[in-house]
Amino acid sequence: MWLAHGSWPLSGLLGGLVILAPARWWIRAGYERERARTGVEKALAGVITGGEEWDGHTASMRGAPIKVKFRGDVTPAKIVGPLPPGWRETSMERDRAEIRGRLTHWGSPWTIVTDSSGRALCATLCEPLPTAVRLPQTRSWKWIDANKPSPLALYLGEAQDADLGETFPLWWDPDATDPHALIGGKTKSGKTVGLRLLVAQAIVRGWDVIIADPKGVDFVWAGRLPGVRYFPGKDCINGVVEAVAEMHARQDWLSRQLWSGKDGADEEGDLLKVQGQPYAPCLVIVDEAAELSGLGDGDQQKETQANLSSLARLSRFAGMVCAFATQRPDVKFLSGETKANLGTRVMYGSGGPTLTNMVLEMSLKELSKLTDTCRGRGRAVVTEGTAVEFQGGFISPSNVKALRGVLEPDGLTPVRYVEEPEWRSLLRAGTSTEEMSVDALKHPDYDRVAAEIDQSIEASEATFWSPAAGQAAAETHPLEGATPTLPPWDTPPTLDTPISRAEEPTFPSPIPADDVPPDTPSIDPMKYL
C-alpha cells in the first residue's frame, strides 16, 4: 500500500503479491489441517468423541474436545482427547482395535495409551515397519550371533508391537517356544525367502540341513552347500525318510547314553545338552508339505504322513528342528496331529480366511489389517495366542552360497540312509544344473495333488462365507484309518517298510513323562463344566 501511494502503482501491486504469497500457503495449510482435524473427530465419533454421552450441541457441532498434533504437513501424528463418561477399563482392548481401525486413513500403526486417573486417551502414529529387511545390511551375521536368545534361535525379521508401536527382532526360538514351525503363504508372498533365511543361518553355524522340495526348483542353489542333503522332485519322499532315519540314529545314540550306567548319564534327555555328543543341530525343511503328503499311492501317502508326524512329535529331543511350509495346509494331507506339534506359526501375506485359520488358527476378524502389502510382510505366532506383524528378512541365494562356498560334485555331503538323489549322479556326469529338466525331476503326482488341494480350499472358502458356516463348523469329522505308529528304534524306515509302533522297545523314552500312579482314578471333565 505504501508503494502504491508513492506513485508506483504497478510496483506496489507486485510487491503486495510477493509479500502476500506466503500467506496463500499458510491459508491452504491451515485449511488442510482443519479439514484433517475435523476428519479425525468424525472418525472417532462414538468412540471417544461425540455420541449420546456428550452434550448434544457440542457433539453435533464439533464432537468432544480433542487436540491434534501434526507431523510436518497435514498428517495427524498425535491425538489427545478425554475418555467418554461411560468408558470402562474392561472394554479397552476392544476400543484400541476399533480406534486403530478408524485412524488407518492417516497411516499406521497407532499406539493407544489411556490415563484412567486423568480420564484421557492418547493415540500416537508410530514409525511403520520397514518394507525391506536385508541381510547383512539391516542385521549383520555378527549381530545375529551376539543377540540370539539361545543357541538354536533363528532370526525371522523385524516385528512390531501393536500396542506400543515398538519395532523389535523376531526370533523363532525352539528352546523357549514350540520347537517346530508351520510356515504358510501364497505364491510370491515371501515364504520361500523366509526358508532361505533359515537355511543361511544353519549353514553359518555348521548345522546339518535336510531339504525335501517336491517342486524341485526353489532350493536347487542349496544342494551343494556344506552340510546340506537336498531331495528335490522325485526324491522328495526319500528326503523325509532320510530325516526320520537321522532322528532314529540320534535317538538310538541317546538311549545308549542314558542306559550306559555312567554317573549322571541318565539325567539328561536332550541330545544337544549331553557333553561330548557327536551330533550338530539339524534343520529339516519340508517345502510344500501338504503336496508332499499326497504324493505316490495310498501306502506311500500313509507312510509319508506317519513320518512327518514322527518328526513333529519326536525330533526335538534328538537335536532337530523342523519347518514345514505349505501354500495349502489341507487337513487331508497334513493331519491335525502333525499340526498340533508345529506350535510356532508364521504366515506370509494376508491370505484368505481358510489359509489364516489353518496356519494361525485365528479368524480374520481377530487380526488387524496388515499395514503394508509388500513381499515378506506377514504375521507370526511365537507365543500362544499372540500374533505380531513382521517384515521377513531377505537374503539372496548368491549371498548364502558366499557364506561358506559350495562343494565340488565329488565332495557333496553324503546321504546316509536312503538312495542318493538323481541330480547328484547327473551333476557328477557333467550335467549342469541349468541343463537339468525341471519336469524330469519333478514328482509325477505333484500337479495332481496340488489341483486336488486347490479344489478343497475353494470348497472351504465357499463354506466359510455361506450362511450355514456355523452349522458346518460344528459338525465332527472323525479321522479315517489307523493312528500312525513309530518304527523300531534300531531300524531306519524305508519306503517299503510301514511304520509300526508294536515293535518299539519297552525301555523308557528319553522324553520326560509325568509320573502318574497306576491306581489314579480317571477324571470326568464334564463335571467341571
Side-chain angles (χ1 to χ4, degrees), residues 158-177:
E158 299 295 310
Q160 191 165 52
D161 188 301
D163 294 329
L164 303 178
E166 298 177 349
T167 300
F168 58 92
L170 180 65
W171 301 92
W172 167 28
D173 186 359
D175 282 335
T177 59

Side-chain angles (χ1 to χ4, degrees), residues 58 85 136 202 238 245 256 261 277 328 357-358 401 426 439 478 497:
T58 303
N238 270 352
R256 291 196 302 269
Q277 58 86 18
R328 316 166 180 88
N357 185 57
M358 285 183 173
K401 291 191 287 186
L426 294 175
D439 290 333
T497 304

Side-chain angles (χ1 to χ4, degrees), residues 41-215:
E41 291 175 345
K42 289 181 178 179
L44 297 180
V47 183
I48 65 170
T49 68
E52 298 179 356
E53 295 177 343
W54 298 96
D55 176 76
H57 176 71
T58 303
S60 63
M61 295 296 293
R62 294 281 304 177
I66 67 171
K67 296 180 180 180
V68 181
K69 292 185 178 181
F70 294 87
R71 175 182 295 172
D73 47 14
V74 294
T75 302
K78 187 175 182 179
I79 301 169
V80 179
L83 293 170
W87 179 85
R88 296 291 182 270
E89 184 72 35
T90 54
S91 65
M92 192 60 244
E93 289 302 321
R94 180 195 64 199
D95 292 342
R96 278 198 183 103
E98 185 173 354
I99 291 171
R100 288 194 191 99
R102 295 190 181 203
L103 293 177
T104 51
H105 175 75
W106 294 276
S108 60
W110 288 86
T111 298
I112 313 297
V113 179
T114 57
D115 180 4
S116 301
S117 59
R119 305 291 297 177
L121 177 144
C122 178
T124 305
L125 179 61
C126 302
E127 291 295 331
L129 271 171
T131 56
V133 177
R134 295 180 177 272
L135 277 73
Q137 291 84 357
T138 305
R139 298 290 190 185
S140 67
W141 297 111
K142 183 177 180 180
W143 182 92
I144 291 176
D145 184 63
N147 291 274
K148 62 180 184 292
S150 79
L152 295 182
L154 296 166
Y155 175 73
L156 297 177
E158 299 295 310
Q160 191 165 52
D161 188 301
D163 294 329
L164 303 178
E166 298 177 349
T167 300
F168 58 92
L170 180 65
W171 301 92
W172 167 28
D173 186 359
D175 282 335
T177 59
D178 293 281
H180 307 304
L182 175 62
I183 301 176
K186 296 182 178 180
T187 302
K188 297 187 181 302
S189 63
K191 170 174 58 69
T192 301
V193 177
L195 296 176
R196 186 190 305 158
L197 179 60
L198 300 180
V199 173
Q201 294 176 78
I203 294 301
V204 168
R205 301 177 192 181
W207 291 12
D208 293 331
V209 180
I210 300 174
I211 303 175
D213 178 15
K215 288 190 293 186

Side-chain angles (χ1 to χ4, degrees), residues 292-338:
L292 186 147
S293 299
L295 299 179
D297 57 27
D299 291 337
Q300 283 184 318
Q301 291 179 20
K302 291 180 180 179
E303 180 186 345
T304 301
Q305 292 169 21
N307 282 339
L308 290 177
S309 178
S310 296
L311 286 172
R313 290 183 293 110
L314 302 173
S315 65
R316 170 61 188 91
F317 289 94
M320 303 170 71
V321 292
C322 303
F324 292 178
T326 182
Q327 297 182 46
R328 316 166 180 88
D330 191 273
V331 70
K332 179 180 178 181
F333 297 118
L334 198 59
S335 68
E337 180 186 24
T338 301

